[in-house]
Amino acid sequence: MNSCCALPVEVIAADQHKINDDCCLVTEKTSAPARAECPISKTSSRKVQRKTLEHLLKPEKIAAIQNVQYYYCTAPDCNVVYFSNENVPHFTVEDVSVKVLSKDNGDDVNVCYCFNWTRGRIKEEIAQTGKSSASLQIAREVKAGTCSCDIKNPKGECCLGDVNSFVKTVSLKENG
Ligand SMILES: [Zn+2]
């Protein structure tokens, strides 16, 4: 079980649980540089684990994964998702089997990939109840050890930062 699971659920929900490389802060222990620039957008990008690609690329693309370090590009206007600092082909949004949050503005896109919180579901709950229960519900699952952001979230990390910032954006709009 991850060490974060000992933390109070409110701490996890506030996305304050990624400390000392524990828990949901997925750090690759490879010797490759910690960051690399996307070949298209030049965005400075963090390493992503190989197993994330193996779970999220379309089946016909799995064989194209090379034995190199991959990085995850977050730039909204760049269609590259995974690339390497070595000279191998990169993977775009077309090659990934789920819609990538940072690169797709649709309401049907997941913010939390483990427990199916889409933008639409979060918006709907806020419209109906005035607030979102998403981060607390997700935190309970994290605490129970049932999340698998490392293989279900395209960025290979905990979604709570994204959930909280999206909830904030929607709440500001509702109240503004
Ligand atoms: Zn890019």
Side-chain angles (χ1 to χ4, degrees):
M1 188 177 270
N2 291 322
S3 57
C4 74
C5 300
L7 293 168
V9 75
E10 294 77 12
V11 175
I12 302 172
D15 194 35
Q16 300 296 312
H17 57 305
K18 290 179 257 179
I19 36 173
N20 301 327
D21 286 11
D22 288 333
C23 186
C24 301
L25 183 62
V26 179
T27 42
E28 273 284 66
K29 302 285 193 281
T30 59
S31 58
R35 289 184 164 270
E37 275 188 4
C38 169
I40 306 300
S41 64
K42 306 297 175 199
T43 309
S44 172
S45 304
R46 287 184 55 180
K47 288 196 247 188
V48 65
Q49 292 184 307
R50 183 187 180 87
K51 64 178 175 183
T52 309
L53 278 73
E54 288 170 348
H55 277 85
L56 291 178
L57 289 181
K58 288 178 178 169
E60 66 270 24
K61 293 290 175 182
I62 305 285
I65 302 173
Q66 305 294 309
N67 194 21
V68 294
Q69 177 68 55
Y70 283 95
Y71 296 81
Y72 171 74
C73 173
T74 56
D77 52 356
C78 176
N79 74 351
V80 174
V81 182
Y82 302 117
F83 65 91
S84 174
N85 56 342
E86 297 181 56
N87 194 21
V88 299
H90 55 249
F91 298 103
T92 69
V93 288
E94 300 295 319
D95 303 322
V96 179
S97 58
V98 296
K99 292 182 174 178
V100 180
L101 180 69
S102 60
K103 299 177 188 283
D104 188 323
N105 287 325
D107 271 0
D108 59 337
V109 180
N110 280 80
V111 185
C112 162
Y113 291 82
C114 294
F115 307 107
N116 201 29
W117 285 95
T118 58
R119 283 198 188 94
R121 184 178 167 199
I122 292 174
K123 279 184 184 173
E124 203 175 293
E125 193 194 18
I126 294 175
Q128 285 175 2
T129 69
K131 57 183 183 181
S132 172
S133 66
S135 59
L136 206 55
Q137 286 198 40
I138 294 163
R140 288 198 188 104
E141 299 286 354
V142 169
K143 203 170 162 62
T146 55
C147 77
S148 20
C149 299
D150 54 341
I151 53 169
K152 289 186 174 167
N153 190 330
K155 69 180 193 180
E157 288 176 31
C158 179
C159 65
L160 279 165
D162 292 330
V163 171
N164 289 338
S165 69
F166 184 67
V167 166
K168 202 179 222 177
T169 308
V170 177
S171 302
L172 285 175
K173 266 187 204 146
E174 288 277 316
N175 300 326

